[in-house]
Amino acid sequence: MRFLAGVASVTALLGSAASALDVDWSSDDSVKSAASQVAYGMVKYYTGNNTGDVAGNLPDPYYWWEAGAMFGALIDYWVYTGDDTYNKITYQAMLHQAGDDHDYMPENQTRSLGNDDQGFWAMAAMTAAEANFENPPDGKPGWLALTQAVFNEYVSRWDSKDCAGGLRWQIWTFNNGYNYKNSISNGCFFNIAARLYRFTGDQKYADWAEKIFKWQQDVKFIDDDYAVRDGAGYANGENCSEVNGALFTYNAGIFMVGAAHMYNITEDGVWKDRTTGLAKFTTKTFFNEKGIMYEIACEPQGSCNTDQQAFKGHLSRWMATTAQLLPETHESLTPLLQSSAKAAAQQCAGTSSDFKGPAGQACGFSWLKESEYDKNAGVGEQMNALSVIYSTLVDKAKPPFTSKTGGSSKGDPDAGAKDDKKIEKPREITAADRAGAGILTTLVLAGLLGGMFLVTSD
Ligand SMILES: *[C@@H]1O[C@H](CO)[C@@H](O)[C@H](O)[C@H]1NC(C)=O
Ligand SMILES: *[C@@H]1O[C@H](CO)[C@@H](O)[C@H](O)[C@H]1NC(C)=O
Ligand SMILES: *[C@@H]1O[C@H](CO)[C@@H](O)[C@H](O)[C@H]1NC(C)=O
Ligand SMILES: *[C@@H]1O[C@H](CO)[C@@H](O)[C@H](O)[C@H]1NC(C)=O
């Protein structure tokens, strides 16, 4: 994932019309119709199915990971609403971007790829397996096998040398961020390990889920209050001791829902405590007094970048799934989805030059503003609103399938490729490579490590 400084999308505003989504929250049909309008506005940003374009890519300024996240959200859109309008483009994109090695490291993206970027596509593939989404044709790896490929590559990248474990943020030494270990990369690893365990029952996935969670706690990326903190550097003998305490919705959610999968299948009290601990931390940190979700590290200051503007949608979906898998959390999580969805729907009342959906229905970013359109528009804004709106339908939705409950996706426990095959002769790194990968992350690392985000977790 890359981080651009400043506010993400530069949108010329044409003024806002007062036509927010009018939703009757007691009617499933009304909620579905609102979700479908927001989904339509989101997919209008997608250019990957235009003639001559590449399936799976979003145009600038959206990085590759966000497209993976979007297709994951579209699969859940189908699960929650039954509307299969976008299944075809999703299927095409998910197969195309799997790449030649069938591991979500397509050649065009490999050089600037971080573990988290790959992870968002892997999580979308896992969602496809758990949703019994249309299977790839015979002769092509199934969604399960694609996820297993990424899992196996993560295992090969586990680094015990520094900080006694963990994945680095970046995969390649030449990308800045290689010296940083973070919760989102390890969260992607943990998330797919837990879900692979629930889906397949193979003990090795449970062992890794335990190991990753334990490591996160050892280095205090997850503290005693279950605050999930951003990460830490390990160069210059730092050894992950200077933890950057920035709190992001998606970091909390990715561990919470993974822990819920572990609990659901093991019924182990340890996983129950971890899940409820993470849920408690989430509900007290990322919601205002009216129960409206917000991105605490940057939203109040209006400084969330393009990536960060897409995080709340993930937390919304992961809260809904957690409520399914650990029913005890249902009572605390689902009312907050309701209150946030109402505020989000009120935000979907903008007009912006880069929004190609119906006029007056661009979704803003900050739901705290309720009916006052906050003048942001983009894929993240649409995806957040979409996810939280359909997540209110969770009680009617099927919980994720497993291989025992009818999940039909084909696996391959040995899938994956070796990283050293990907960039065989480390050719000279050009300025263009660095611009694509390193420089932007340096800015952000300088910002993060320099305390740009002052939110801490104590
Ligand atoms: C791309 O997909 C969208 C959404 O399904 C559809 O409206 C559009 O017509 C498609 N474009 C092409 C060129 O197929
Ligand atoms: C990589 O880029 C080329 C050139 O734009 C394109 O034809 C190809 O489909 C892309 N591959 C993937 C997996 O995106
Ligand atoms: C580095 O951190 C890990 C994890 O906290 C710890 O186990 C290890 O002892 C530390 N190593 C050094 C040299 O401080
Ligand atoms: C696991 O999830 C299912 C599906 O939502 C739920 O019915 C079941 O009660 C959960 N199991 C436990 C032990 O909570």
Side-chain angles (χ1 to χ4, degrees), residues 161-165 215 218-220 237-241:
K161 196 160 67 52
D162 295 291
C163 321
W215 178 79
D218 286 346
V219 292
K220 307 267 184 259
E238 272 177 3
N239 193 33
C240 293
S241 58

Side-chain angles (χ1 to χ4, degrees), residues 5 34 95 118 218 241 282 295 304 328 342 351 354 398 429:
L95 279 187
Q118 190 184 17
D218 286 346
S241 58
T282 296
E295 197 64 55
C304 298
E328 226 179 273
K342 281 179 191 160
T351 299
D354 71 349
K398 280 201 197 93
I429 305 307

Side-chain angles (χ1 to χ4, degrees), residues 190 194 213 255-264 271 274-275 278:
F190 173 70
F213 200 95
F255 281 97
M256 176 177 71
V257 76
H261 279 80
M262 290 305 295
Y263 169 71
N264 191 259
W271 284 112
R274 288 168 172 173
T275 313
L278 287 160

Side-chain angles (χ1 to χ4, degrees), residues 1-3 64-66 68-69 103-106 109-124 146-147 149-160 165-173 175-193 208 212 215-216 221 230 234 250-251 254-255 307 318 417-419 422 437 441:
M1 216 166 287
R2 317 275 153 251
F3 294 92
W64 187 70
W65 80 272
E66 190 156 343
D103 60 354
Y104 294 108
M105 287 183 81
Q109 306 296 338
T110 298
R111 299 185 68 78
S112 61
L113 199 71
N115 280 307
D116 49 353
D117 301 305
Q118 190 184 17
F120 272 87
W121 284 90
M123 290 189 291
L146 291 166
T147 313
V150 178
F151 172 88
N152 289 334
E153 292 175 10
Y154 280 163
V155 168
S156 76
R157 293 178 199 143
W158 185 260
D159 166 46
S160 306
L167 286 184
R168 302 177 181 92
W169 179 14
Q170 296 299 317
I171 299 168
W172 313 113
T173 52
N175 284 336
N176 289 318
Y178 186 77
N179 289 339
Y180 191 70
K181 294 194 177 180
N182 60 1
S183 285
I184 194 59
S185 297
N186 289 285
C188 289
F189 189 11
F190 173 70
N191 185 286
I192 61 171
W208 271 100
I212 301 159
W215 178 79
Q216 282 274 131
F221 289 4
D230 193 73
Y234 59 81
Y250 75 158
N251 281 331
I254 206 167
F255 281 97
D307 286 339
W318 291 332
K418 289 213 160 64
D419 284 342
K422 307 271 186 183
T441 58

Side-chain angles (χ1 to χ4, degrees), residues 198 263-264 267 324-327 399:
R198 182 172 174 276
Y263 169 71
N264 191 259
E267 299 187 29
Q324 286 181 312
L325 297 180
L326 203 185

